[in-house]
Amino acid sequence: KEDWSYDLVDKDIEALNELRKKIVDPLIDFKQKLESEKTAKGITTRLYEFLEENNIREKIEEKLHKLEPVEKLKYSNEYIASYNILMDVLDEIVLVFGDQKMTFEDYRKILKAGLETSSIGEIPESIDQVIVGNVDTARLTNIKAVFVVGVNDGVFPKRIDHEGLLSDTERE
């Protein structure tokens, strides 16, 4: 809560204290508002107000605009989905618990459980994937389609030049 007073040679202590205030002051204000709340709905309302006052959704979108286009495609859905999952979990807490009295520690456990059971809809690599490899070494099972590139007669399927241990006449 107090300003830092380190003896730093290369750092501007005033700039560090300003940065500390930007981070700590909203959290202290949030904590003070939470102390008066004793219901799930009240705590959720304060948490939502904290997210809105600090423009968390807009900051996520700003971060997405700073990413390279390739990275943006990969992370944009995850960032937005994470925020939406949080909002859904908060809504569910209010629907299920409403005005039920609870401590913030109990609320934290419920919120944590809700977030742990939620997942971002991502296609697992093992279900939908493309495999590039050598025909001799590839082990493919349960495949829907195979594209073979550079096929010539005699190369694929491979022509067997030797007959093995026994010749055809010996087998007969």
Side-chain angles (χ1 to χ4, degrees), residues 47-61:
L47 182 55
Y48 180 78
E49 288 171 354
F50 173 78
L51 295 172
E52 287 297 309
E53 288 169 2
N54 291 286
N55 303 316
I56 300 301
R57 184 171 182 92
E58 290 80 16
K59 288 179 182 175
I60 290 172
E61 290 172 0

Side-chain angles (χ1 to χ4, degrees), residues 23-35 46 49-50 53-54:
I23 296 169
V24 172
D25 287 350
L27 294 173
I28 291 173
D29 184 45
F30 175 59
K31 183 182 178 211
Q32 289 171 348
K33 288 178 181 177
L34 275 181
E35 289 174 354
R46 294 295 181 213
E49 288 171 354
F50 173 78
E53 288 169 2
N54 291 286

